[in-house]
Amino acid sequence: MPLLIRNGELVTADARGRADIYVADETITRIGGDLEAPPGTEVIDAAGKYVFPGFIDPHVHIYLPFMATFAKDTHETASIAALVGGTTTYIEMCCPSRTDDALAAYELWKGKAEGKSACDYTFHMAVSKYTDETEGQLREIVRDGISSFKIFLAYKNFFGVDDGEMYQALALARKLGVIVTAHCENAELVAQLQQELLRAGRTGPEWHEASRPETVEAEGTHHFATFLENTGATGYVVHLSCEGALKAALAAKERGVRMHVEAVIPHLMLNKTYAERPGVEGMKHVMSPPLRARRNQGVLWNALNAGLIDTVGTDHCPFDTGQKLLGREAFTQIPNGIPGIEERVNLLYTYGVKRGKLDLHRFVDAASTRAAKLFGLFPRKGTIAVGGDADLVVFDPEYRGTISALGQHVNNDYNGFEGMPIEGRAAVVTVRGKVQVRAGEFVGERGRGQLLKREPSHL
Ligand code: URP
Ligand code: ZN
Ligand code: ZN
């Protein structure tokens, strides 16, 4: 059914104004004042509301075998949570371990999503080792429409690559024009510090941060930058958490390294005292890089507003209370991850835009447009333009609520942001012209989501 969104205030990364949007089939066909609604058109009145481009989460984990267990979501639960939170596209990390075959893993990850996701999606393909087969396999995956890789400098012997493997992955990415996303913590330092802490009887979640201090992330970021510099590849640092790592990234950019930076919502909203809470409460707030000392949050918000941090993702990675308790004897066994796919946009709006820390256009840019541009989705996604997919968020700035695990759509038994007030939320959300969320509730079609094919764009 055609759709007309009337009277809303359209906000993109670089423009703002009152206009109507007409959608035929799956794309936007007209934008203008007082558009006609032909018979059979569904009309949505967006008076008093913003209309944003559908938000894009560039970093989520849905199917993830990790730390002796599996992340809790399915594409059905994660995509419904995403949509209720205003996210219409996510990019999942396809993460084979070092013992897995890359191509088989890619097929497995695709199979988990196909016909299940209610929103559109694509993958970053992790390169967890580099063997004689790797180049051919990666070329095949890129031909299939995946134009971004992932490497882990952390998680020694599981996802982590060594320097030789990193060099080869980046050299191939450079040739193919593929952007490489990277988790930047020095794996060897983490392993040594973890063992030292455990030997000293420091086993609780409050020691997780001490096992991966800011210098370890700064070193990892500098290390990645040096490899980018010497291969000419384009990189993207995921979940950058602290000032030291930011300085390393900015120094690299200044000397011409093609490096982009992502922050994630837990590091913007939470500090390390959350992981210092006794027992399982602390464990719920264990992720890597860890939640940091509070002073880093101001640094991240400022850099985000200035555009020095490009994007805001979630690193959504749900493990329930029982799974977190796998680490009751040792913090090194706590499954790492804090979910946030449902909360990201509302938190960014409330604690960024509403608190005067984030310009409204930068908000749209960081949560949608910039990811679309970096990852080969623009202008189909990430903006409001004739010819683009009708992924739209009618956002109600008057809504008031409180984040709670009760009624959340993510498949988990707690919420890491429990009790935080929010000011504003997605009221109506469309995916390629179909209303998937109405009055803040999922009303849509499960399995509507498509795998987005992307071309390499970093030659
Ligand atoms: O703690 C985290 N970040 N869990 C997910 C895996 C990763 O490192 O992104
Ligand atoms: Zn990571
Ligand atoms: Zn991650």
Side-chain angles (χ1 to χ4, degrees):
M1 181 195 295
L3 188 67
L4 179 64
I5 300 180
R6 258 190 189 146
N7 303 319
E9 184 166 2
L10 277 51
V11 183
T12 66
D14 48 20
R16 179 173 181 168
R18 203 162 298 281
D20 301 344
I21 302 174
Y22 186 77
V23 175
D25 297 323
E26 300 199 340
T27 57
I28 297 169
T29 54
R30 273 184 297 156
I31 301 173
D34 298 322
L35 296 183
E36 292 284 303
T41 301
E42 175 177 358
V43 178
I44 292 174
D45 185 12
K49 302 195 172 60
Y50 292 123
V51 183
F52 295 128
F55 293 102
I56 299 172
D57 191 337
H59 183 170
V60 308
H61 301 274
I62 297 170
Y63 174 68
L64 185 69
F66 184 42
M67 298 191 73
T69 187
F70 292 83
K72 288 281 294 184
D73 266 325
T74 62
H75 278 267
E76 184 168 323
T77 55
S79 63
I80 291 172
L83 285 165
V84 168
T87 292
T88 53
T89 297
Y90 51 66
I91 311 183
E92 187 191 7
M93 299 289 175
C94 171
C95 292
S97 75
R98 286 180 71 79
T99 53
D100 294 329
D101 177 79
L103 210 47
Y106 176 59
E107 293 303 329
L108 173 66
W109 257 259
K110 269 207 309 189
K112 296 278 177 192
E114 206 176 335
K116 297 285 191 301
S117 179
C119 67
D120 287 351
Y121 61 93
T122 174
F123 301 98
H124 299 300
M125 183 66 213
V127 184
S128 306
K129 61 184 171 195
Y130 209 98
T131 66
D132 292 347
E133 290 182 310
T134 304
E135 175 168 346
Q137 293 190 325
L138 291 175
R139 282 182 181 274
E140 195 171 329
I141 291 166
V142 171
R143 274 197 301 274
D144 197 45
I146 301 302
S147 60
S148 45
F149 295 160
K150 169 75 182 283
I151 55 172
F152 291 90
L153 281 69
Y155 307 129
K156 194 176 167 188
N157 300 329
F158 192 67
F159 294 138
V161 285
D162 65 27
D163 282 355
E165 292 168 323
M166 171 156 66
Y167 185 88
Q168 293 183 78
L170 292 177
L172 178 64
R174 169 77 180 111
K175 269 192 248 166
L176 299 178
V178 160
I179 185 170
V180 181
T181 70
H183 176 138
C184 297
E185 291 179 295
N186 182 304
E188 194 54 51
L189 282 169
V190 172
Q192 295 294 336
L193 292 171
Q194 284 180 333
Q195 291 317 309
E196 206 168 294
L197 286 160
L198 292 182
R199 276 197 302 271
R202 294 171 169 170
T203 58
E206 69 275 23
W207 296 105
H208 177 68
E209 204 271 342
S211 75
R212 336 172 71 102
E214 294 177 29
T215 49
V216 165
E217 189 185 345
E219 197 288 324
T221 307
H222 172 71
H223 202 76
F224 179 51
T226 308
F227 276 69
L228 291 174
E229 193 168 8
N230 285 281
T231 55
T234 301
Y236 174 99
V237 180
V238 298
H239 52 38
L240 183 137
S241 74
C242 63
E243 184 174 18
L246 180 67
K247 281 186 173 158
L250 296 183
K253 281 185 196 226
E254 239 173 63
R255 58 180 198 272
V257 179
R258 296 195 291 179
M259 186 186 233
H260 303 274
V261 176
E262 171 195 272
V264 293
I265 204 71
H267 294 133
L268 288 165
M269 294 300 305
L270 308 168
N271 61 63
K272 71 174 184 171
T273 62
Y274 283 82
E276 291 165 357
R277 292 176 174 181
V280 76
E281 287 309 310
M283 296 179 196
K284 291 175 184 175
H285 294 97
V286 165
M287 67 174 290
S288 296
L291 300 181
R292 297 297 190 190
R294 195 187 297 270
R295 66 179 167 73
N296 288 289
Q297 290 174 259
V299 172
L300 295 182
W301 280 110
N302 287 340
L304 176 63
N305 196 35
L308 300 171
I309 290 175
D310 295 88
T311 59
V312 176
T314 53
D315 198 7
H316 178 77
C317 193
F319 296 104
D320 68 17
T321 309
Q323 292 173 304
K324 288 285 183 180
L325 283 167
L326 291 171
R328 58 163 76 77
E329 306 295 336
F331 68 84
T332 50
Q333 310 298 315
I334 303 169
N336 285 199
I338 303 178
I341 202 167
E342 197 162 343
E343 295 79 27
R344 174 185 67 130
V345 169
N346 293 343
L347 288 170
L348 202 57
Y349 180 80
T350 304
Y351 294 93
V353 177
K354 289 285 287 184
R355 298 291 180 274
K357 289 193 288 200
L358 187 59
D359 168 77
L360 186 65
H361 298 287
R362 186 78 261 282
F363 159 72
V364 175
D365 190 32
S368 178
T369 315
R370 196 78 72 102
K373 288 181 173 169
L374 288 172
F375 297 119
L377 293 167
F378 190 85
R380 178 177 175 193
K381 308 284 191 190
T383 193
I384 302 175
V386 170
D389 281 356
D391 294 355
L392 297 164
V393 175
V394 179
F395 190 87
D396 180 2
E398 301 304 324
Y399 177 83
R400 296 291 177 269
T402 303
I403 291 178
S404 171
L406 291 174
Q408 71 182 1
H409 299 83
V410 168
N411 186 24
N412 206 0
D413 59 357
Y414 65 88
N415 190 302
F417 307 96
E418 186 75 31
M420 291 190 180
I422 51 159
E423 299 170 19
R425 71 160 182 191
V428 175
V429 180
T430 67
V431 175
R432 285 177 284 103
K434 174 146 188 18
V435 175
Q436 295 286 75
V437 170
R438 210 186 283 280
E441 297 292 334
F442 180 74
V443 293
E445 182 187 330
R446 291 158 206 261
R448 173 167 178 76
Q450 287 180 352
L451 171 59
L452 302 166
K453 304 276 177 171
R454 301 178 289 130
E455 292 291 325
S457 55
H458 295 275
L459 284 160

